[in-house]
Amino acid sequence: MRIRTAAPAVLTATALAAALLAASPASAASHQGGLHLGHIQYDSPGRDTRSNASLNAEWVNIHNNTRSPIQLKGYKLKDNTGYTYTFGSYKIGAGKTVKVRTGKGADASGVRYWGRGGYVWNNTGDKARLLKPSGALKDSCSWSRAGSGHVSCH
Ligand SMILES: [Ca+2]
């Protein structure tokens, strides 16, 4: 009986090896969810002075670990209070990350600015949500204490 149970295990290992071989280096470290929230710096380092530099040191990364670019137009980023950032036209490449900073600045490749004059992400606990243009929840990530000031969502 032990020999019989070994056969499926070998098959599984073979299938896994095949899957790993088929995967590109970028997707080898992939997580489920495709487009998802990545690292979040919810507590801007240093004192919360509300300066634009401090506001921009508060940010959320969104990562596309699919193998195709994704148009983010209409996607939303939302906190517990209801503050909402809505993406304009922005194509996030396969395997790429876009950082959404809280303060004001000039949008560029890989970085978007919320344009706020106040902080979004609560230092002592909050929940970031990534919503599809339809309003459907794509991903969420929460934290419950100040701690290190940042969280790795996946
Ligand atoms: Ca904060």
Side-chain angles (χ1 to χ4, degrees), residues 41-80:
Q41 182 72 44
Y42 55 83
D43 185 1
S44 180
R47 291 181 56 213
D48 281 358
T49 60
R50 293 173 73 103
S51 70
N52 195 50
S54 177
L55 291 167
N56 280 332
E58 186 191 70
W59 46 261
V60 169
N61 277 350
I62 296 169
H63 185 62
N64 173 15
N65 68 357
T66 73
R67 297 186 188 191
S68 309
I70 296 174
Q71 174 54 254
L72 292 181
K73 186 172 183 169
Y75 273 79
K76 291 177 167 66
L77 200 53
K78 201 169 184 178
D79 78 335
N80 268 347

Side-chain angles (χ1 to χ4, degrees), residues 14-127:
T14 306
L16 180 63
L20 287 172
L21 282 172
S24 68
S27 63
S30 71
H31 310 277
Q32 64 182 33
L35 185 73
H36 64 88
L37 294 165
H39 211 79
I40 298 180
Q41 182 72 44
Y42 55 83
D43 185 1
S44 180
R47 291 181 56 213
D48 281 358
T49 60
R50 293 173 73 103
S51 70
N52 195 50
S54 177
L55 291 167
N56 280 332
E58 186 191 70
W59 46 261
V60 169
N61 277 350
I62 296 169
H63 185 62
N64 173 15
N65 68 357
T66 73
R67 297 186 188 191
S68 309
I70 296 174
Q71 174 54 254
L72 292 181
K73 186 172 183 169
Y75 273 79
K76 291 177 167 66
L77 200 53
K78 201 169 184 178
D79 78 335
N80 268 347
T81 308
Y83 291 132
T84 305
Y85 172 78
T86 304
F87 276 90
S89 183
Y90 183 79
K91 194 174 278 187
I92 180 170
K96 299 295 186 185
T97 298
V98 61
K99 187 184 295 289
V100 180
R101 297 185 183 275
T102 297
K104 298 175 174 68
D107 288 342
S109 181
V111 61
R112 303 278 105 175
Y113 291 87
W114 198 309
R116 287 184 44 80
Y119 299 95
V120 170
W121 308 110
N122 195 313
N123 296 347
T124 53
D126 209 338
K127 184 176 182 180

